[in-house]
Structures are given as C-alpha cells and as structure tokens.
Amino acid sequence: MMVAASPDSAAGGERGTLVLGIETSCDETAAAVVARSPKGDGRVLSNVVRAQWEEHRRYGGVVPEIAARAHVECLDGIIGEAMREAGVAFPDLDAVAATAGPGLIGGLLVGVATAKAIALAHEIDLVAVNHLEAHALTVGLTEGLRPPYLLLLISGGHTQLLIVHGVGRYQRLGTTIDDALGEAFDKTAKLLGLGFPGGPAVEKAAAAGKRGRFTLPRPMLGRSEAHFSFAGLKTAVRHQAQALAPLREEDVADLCVEFEAAVAESVADRVRRAMEIAGERLPDGARHLVVAGGVAANKALRGALTDLAGQEGYTLHVPPAELCTDNAAMVAWAGAERLRLGLTDGLDFEARARWPLDPAAVPALGAGKQGAKA
Ligand code: KG4
Ligand code: ZN
C-alpha cells in the first residue's frame, strides 16, 4: 500500500486514484501505473513498453496476426512488470484502463479481455479508452495542461487536427485523405531501402543530405480545409528514386532531406489553416498547439511547428518521446481522467477497430482506407 498512500497524501487526506493502463492496439505491448491526485496532478509510477519491431521487421510493416499473437504471449508479463515497478498490488488499484480502439482488432481484443478479467477479479472499475483520446490528453499528465487546445496528432495510423474542448469532447478540423504521416515515412523508407520503422531511419539518413537536388510537391498547400495528403509525395519520391536507380547512399540522403522538408512545409501550412479555422472557437489564453504521436519526434517537423507557433502566438507542447509514441501511461491517464468524471464502462464493452473521436466529422473528400479509419 506504499504507493497508494502517495496519491492520498497529495490530497491532504482526500483520496487520489491509481490506474493500471494497458495498450495493445498496434505493435507495442505496454502496461503502466499512473497516480492522479485529487488536484489533478499526474505521476507515472511505471511505464513498460515492449515494441514488436523484431517480429515485423522482415515484412517491412505490422502484420496484424503476428501482432495479436505477440500481445497474447507477453501482455501478462508486461503487466506484472509494471505492477512490480510501481510497487502496487491489484487491490490497490481504483481502475484498469485498456485501449479499446481504434486499432488492430486482434490486439485490442487481447488488451480489453485482460482488463475485463482484472476488473472482475479485483472488483475495480473498467475504463475502455479511445487510443486517440489517450494521445490527446497526455499533456495533462506531462505538463498539467488542460483543454481547450489545438491538437496535431501524427502517428503511424493517424493524422488529425482537432480542437480538444474537454475529456470526451473533440472537434475534428482535418484528417488525411490517404496515408497517415507516419505511414508515409514508413513507405518512403521502404522504397529507399531503409529500415523499419521508417521515420527514425529517414530522419537519420536526412542528416547527411543536401537540399536542392530534388523537387518534391507540397501536398494540399493553401487548401481551405485543414486536411492532409501524403500519397502523392511518396509517389514523387518513388519516381525520382526510380529515375536514379541504383541509388547511392548520398542519393538516399538527399531524397530524405527533401522529403522531410516537403512534409514540414505541408504540415505547417495545414496547421496554420487549422489555427485560422479554430479562430474564435479557442478562447484567448487557449492558444496552445499540442503535438502527439510518434512522428512528433521528427526534428525538422518540430522546427517548422516551433516557427509557426511563434508567428501565430501559440505555445507549442510536445510530450517527451516516450510518452509521444505508443505507451500505456497515456492510457492509464485517460482512464483516470474519465474515472474522475464517472465515465466507466461495463464488462460488456466491445473493442472497436474504428472509433472516431469526433463522430460528427464528415469523411474527408477522397478519403481512402486510412482517412476513413480515423
Ligand atoms: O504513435 P506511434 O508510436 O504509433 C502509432 O500509433 O502509429 O507512431 C509510430 C510512427 C511510425 O510510423 C514511425 O515511423 C513514426 O511514428 N516515427 C517518426 C519518427 N519516429 C517515429 N517519423 C518521423 N520522424 C521520426 N523521428
Ligand atoms: Zn498511437
């Protein structure tokens, strides 16, 4: 009970909450324990993540069936590790929160079924968490930043601009009409013969690249909606690469640096448009741009967003890398935030492969599989 006493004491007698989070929506198996004080401060007591890169590397992308099997094999052990590291026993928990969507259904089923078993066995609350909401609320845990704010979510499966009005209240301003940004990095890396996951590989190669040798498009520049598109950019890289084949190391580096520049300019333009649309909907004092998802680690993009935020009077917030990429601390935190509002779920809650944060958002014109997914 040592750790359970900590959120209690933070409250000056009033009890805080302890939540176990579980994340299995894609290719990371993760578990974490987070404490939330009654004042709303969050503390990560443990954060265990096991990436499945080795299992998927030879395929150059995530294979759903392999991912689900890997979750089955290691989730119990990862949960045990997270509980041990936090110094917490199951009866100390107030709730167990699991990502219940959107994502690969096999993995989601593993995480949700495990969470239900824990909730049932230990008579604690169950919170079914939307993975995108977990990314969206992470700044509350890391910086104590509360909604409303503007959110740019850029990961392997999602690319969205949203106004976060509050827990459970989101307004989507833009989405991708084709590939997610992380997916564009991964596909570009694959076609250039770089490793998986592609984002870090492209960034590493780009470090040795020189600008100006190639011309790549800036997708969606100046469009009135705040939507994204990356399929054309990736195809343009393919055409330039095919024209030059076989590629030397410096060709790859020069293509990567140009790809990053095109992405940075395109994304900054789309975020600028979202800031215009958000306009009065964001009250004064809410001029915060939060960037979440694995691609937020990209330095070229971060630089462009820092410049943009400075120009537009916004403050930029990027959670630390380990809480930006997929993790279970963000799931536990979203669970704690929902628990506080009484938003718990029944044991009959079913995992959802698709689960939009803003159900009222109309599909983006020309939305392919990825655009519709989010
Ligand atoms: O959020 P995340 O860990 O998982 C998903 O929910 O998808 O994001 C993973 C994505 C991958 O596509 C990966 O290539 C990309 O984030 N990524 C990066 C960088 N680090 C990870 N993309 C560009 N630059 C990076 N440094
Ligand atoms: Zn994610």
Side-chain angles (χ1 to χ4, degrees), residues 229-273:
S229 168
F230 299 108
L233 177 58
K234 172 200 68 198
T235 305
V237 174
R238 171 174 289 127
H239 287 153
Q240 306 248 21
Q242 281 169 348
L244 268 179
L247 296 178
R248 293 167 305 161
E249 208 171 305
E250 65 191 271
D251 299 328
V252 171
D254 293 349
L255 274 168
C256 283
V257 78
E258 215 59 65
F259 173 79
E260 277 196 337
V263 162
E265 200 178 318
S266 173
V267 171
D269 175 73
R270 310 291 62 221
V271 177
R272 187 192 301 278
R273 183 65 197 124

Side-chain angles (χ1 to χ4, degrees), residues 155-241:
S155 70
H158 305 282
T159 303
Q160 299 200 1
L161 276 160
L162 296 141
I163 299 178
V164 178
H165 291 288
V167 175
R169 294 189 295 124
Y170 304 90
Q171 187 177 0
R172 201 199 70 193
L173 302 181
T175 185
T176 178
I177 63 170
D178 40 54
D179 292 345
L181 183 51
E183 188 183 9
F185 269 96
D186 293 337
K187 287 180 175 172
T188 299
K190 197 172 176 181
L191 73 91
L192 293 176
L194 298 171
F196 172 81
V202 168
E203 179 159 48
K204 197 164 163 227
K210 283 190 216 60
R211 291 284 312 274
R213 251 184 87 201
F214 301 99
T215 307
L216 293 174
R218 269 49 176 164
M220 309 296 272
L221 213 66
R223 292 284 193 96
S224 60
E225 318 93 355
H227 294 323
F228 301 85
S229 168
F230 299 108
L233 177 58
K234 172 200 68 198
T235 305
V237 174
R238 171 174 289 127
H239 287 153
Q240 306 248 21

Side-chain angles (χ1 to χ4, degrees), residues 53-142:
W53 293 340
E54 285 316 316
E55 284 91 333
H56 302 287
R57 193 183 298 280
R58 85 177 93 145
Y59 305 100
V62 178
V63 183
E65 179 62 24
I66 293 176
R69 281 167 189 257
H71 290 308
V72 170
E73 276 164 26
C74 64
L75 181 58
D76 289 355
I78 299 274
I79 291 173
E81 209 177 315
M83 296 293 284
R84 263 194 312 280
E85 241 179 62
V88 167
F90 285 109
D92 301 335
L93 295 170
D94 296 283
V96 52
T99 297
L104 300 173
I105 194 68
L108 293 171
L109 287 169
V110 175
V112 170
T114 304
K116 285 177 181 175
I118 293 171
L120 189 64
H122 300 285
E123 298 181 349
I124 57 175
D125 280 318
L126 172 74
V127 187
V129 170
N130 182 312
H131 180 86
L132 306 178
E133 176 159 65
H135 276 301
L137 298 179
T138 302
V139 278
L141 170 65
T142 57

